[in-house]
Amino acid sequence: MLDSGEYSMLDVDVSDALLNIATGKMEEILKNVEYVKSYEVGDLIIVVLKA
């Protein structure tokens, strides 16, 4: 999916970070959402999740 341009390295990095913090209370929150896309705007990273 990286080759097709559908996802970027930012998407991969954010997905990995979400998996790493998915423990305890965060696991309960994150298990009910779907990762959609991440966008970098200047110094801001916007993460889009779907419930």
Side-chain angles (χ1 to χ4, degrees):
M1 292 192 169
L2 280 173
D3 292 336
S4 71
E6 185 174 348
Y7 292 104
S8 67
M9 281 308 298
L10 177 62
D11 293 308
V12 173
D13 292 340
V14 170
S15 295
D16 285 344
L18 289 171
L19 288 172
N20 286 333
I21 64 167
T23 58
K25 187 174 182 180
M26 285 302 294
E27 182 177 13
E28 287 297 314
I29 295 168
L30 292 174
K31 77 176 185 179
N32 297 317
V33 298
E34 175 186 345
Y35 176 83
V36 177
K37 186 82 176 142
S38 293
Y39 302 94
E40 190 169 9
V41 181
D43 292 338
L44 179 68
I45 296 176
I46 300 168
V47 179
V48 180
L49 302 172
K50 181 178 174 181

